[in-house]
Amino acid sequence: MALSHLHIRTYENTSPPLSEKQKPIQDGSLTVIPILQTENSVFGAEVSGVDWTNPVPAETVSQLIALQDKYGVLIFRKTNLDNARHIAFSQQLGEKLEVNPFYYGRENDRLGEPFLFDVGNKGSEKKDTPVIYLLRIKQDSTYHQQRSKYSILLSHGNPVKGGSWTHFADTRRAYADLPESKKEELENLIVEHDLWHSRKLASPIVYGNPLPHELAAKPPAYHRLVQTAPDGRQTLYLAAHAKLILGRSFEESQKLLWELIDHCTQPKYVFSMEWLSGGDMVWWDNRQSMHRANPYTETMTARDVRRSTIIDDGPLAYGVAYEERLAAA
């Protein structure tokens, strides 16, 4: 497939790096190459040294979680994991995995695996391919009242070099750089996150008028805009599913939310990960990062990528209680 027809956007900081400025760090048996570094912050890392041919030992899992808390996004190359081992590793990171709702029926899903989401663009039967790529600024599953913690995306097959990228933004550093007056404004805000809002943004013709039973099946969720990340820093929790700030109009809410999204996605907070081969895997923390793929085009490089999502079990996992929502509104 000719890549000249594709809109491929990348950022200065990439994985693998385009320069040699990123130096490897040895962490026990693991080798860590940081990606986006500043004087007082670091975001994203490539990690090698994990033996993926066997179940990952508990001590290695603990080591990886500590790295995840620090870097926010971890990238592993050529893991050669299959669906079962992908799921097994995900289950080592949390008690519960998000279950695929199979909106078009399990029999019509290419994978048919309840714990995996087909987020590639393969198959002519794939009805929501444009939605996947138009919803390109995301923190996964914020529209659940019990939010997600991690997402793990695994590549199968071999993508075309130079044609397949995913981009990640550091919402911790982006928050830290806001003026103090803006932080004071945002500190206690509560945001309504709605699946149908984001789907309508992506495809108003297909999702512009959800039916009553669809709305009832997936009501909005409510989370604080400013949260504490696992490393102790403050972070922003928003993206395409964020619809309304309680106590403000829809128009005022969207203006502020997209101002913040634009702030978080400045190049200085973002790096691009290139998918190089089958088995490449990226694990990110939805509580301290945003992500997106390159925009959808009908001629874009074929991708077979499958995602598991680990449900949060931390102190902020269930969002904002009804009484607090009522007071804020």
Side-chain angles (χ1 to χ4, degrees):
M1 180 182 295
L3 298 181
S4 59
H5 299 293
L6 304 180
H7 176 66
I8 304 296
R9 181 179 184 182
T10 59
Y11 293 81
E12 179 183 354
N13 289 277
T14 62
S15 172
L18 300 177
S19 70
E20 299 302 319
K21 64 181 179 180
Q22 288 95 335
K23 302 299 182 184
I25 299 170
Q26 204 63 34
D27 187 334
S29 62
L30 304 179
T31 301
V32 180
I33 303 178
I35 299 169
L36 186 55
Q37 299 182 85
T38 64
E39 184 176 335
N40 55 9
S41 181
V42 64
F43 179 58
E46 279 207 28
V47 180
S48 58
V50 180
D51 179 8
W52 296 107
T53 60
N54 296 296
V56 181
E59 58 270 24
T60 303
V61 172
S62 298
Q63 187 180 5
L64 290 171
I65 291 174
L67 290 174
Q68 176 60 258
D69 289 348
K70 178 178 181 178
Y71 292 99
V73 182
L74 300 182
I75 296 164
F76 309 87
R77 301 291 184 181
K78 297 183 178 180
T79 63
N80 295 318
L81 294 178
D82 57 17
N83 288 346
R85 290 186 295 153
H86 178 174
I87 293 167
F89 176 63
S90 303
Q91 290 171 327
Q92 292 183 275
L93 304 177
E95 292 184 2
K96 294 170 61 180
L97 303 187
E98 188 172 330
V99 177
N100 190 331
F102 295 120
Y103 289 114
Y104 304 115
R106 184 172 180 179
E107 69 280 1
N108 296 318
D109 188 85
R110 190 170 63 90
L111 305 180
E113 170 52 64
F115 290 137
L116 293 180
F117 292 76
D118 178 9
V119 292
N121 61 353
K122 298 187 70 173
S124 59
E125 77 288 350
K126 197 160 179 55
K127 302 179 180 68
D128 57 350
T129 295
V131 174
I132 289 171
Y133 287 93
L134 284 170
L135 277 178
R136 60 186 180 272
I137 305 173
K138 296 179 65 183
Q139 287 171 308
D140 286 333
S141 303
T142 64
Y143 50 80
H144 292 317
Q145 195 60 46
Q146 185 178 4
R147 66 183 186 180
S148 71
K149 176 169 57 175
Y150 304 133
S151 293
I152 297 180
L153 196 61
L154 178 67
S155 173
H156 295 252
N158 290 305
V160 176
K161 184 172 175 57
S164 192
W165 299 80
T166 302
H167 317 288
F168 296 92
D170 186 351
T171 54
R172 303 166 302 180
R173 184 177 158 215
Y175 176 82
D177 287 350
L178 288 172
E180 289 303 316
S181 58
K182 178 61 72 173
K183 292 178 182 177
E184 291 176 7
E185 176 191 353
L186 305 180
E187 184 175 2
N188 295 310
L189 296 183
I190 296 170
V191 180
E192 176 185 303
H193 296 255
D194 187 359
L195 172 65
W196 303 110
H197 165 71
S198 53
R199 290 199 161 203
K200 183 176 180 178
L201 286 177
S203 183
I205 295 176
V206 177
Y207 296 109
N209 295 290
L211 298 173
H213 75 275
E214 293 176 317
L215 293 171
K218 180 38 66 185
Y222 299 86
H223 299 281
R224 294 197 176 278
L225 176 60
V226 179
Q227 306 208 2
T228 302
D231 69 349
R233 288 189 285 169
Q234 298 299 98
T235 185
L236 290 167
Y237 193 66
L238 75 170
H241 304 306
K243 177 182 179 181
L244 188 73
I245 296 171
L246 297 192
R248 300 195 182 191
S249 70
F250 176 78
E251 291 75 16
E252 291 175 319
S253 299
Q254 286 293 294
K255 182 176 184 293
L256 177 57
L257 291 168
W258 283 97
E259 283 177 358
L260 293 173
I261 290 171
D262 288 344
H263 170 71
C264 292
T265 54
Q266 294 177 78
K268 62 182 176 180
Y269 304 128
V270 179
F271 76 86
S272 299
M273 173 212 168
E274 183 173 13
W275 297 90
L276 298 176
S277 65
D280 284 357
M281 183 173 78
V282 60
W283 162 22
W284 66 86
D285 190 327
N286 288 294
R287 302 165 298 180
Q288 52 189 354
S289 68
M290 293 194 296
H291 66 279
R292 73 173 186 183
N294 272 314
Y296 174 83
T297 70
E298 291 185 356
T299 57
M300 73 187 309
T301 302
R303 283 182 31 165
D304 181 356
V305 283
R306 308 169 189 186
R307 191 193 81 221
S308 62
T309 305
I310 296 90
I311 295 175
D312 194 5
D313 52 5
L316 300 175
Y318 285 92
V320 180
Y322 175 76
E323 292 76 12
E324 291 182 86
R325 304 199 310 253
L326 193 63

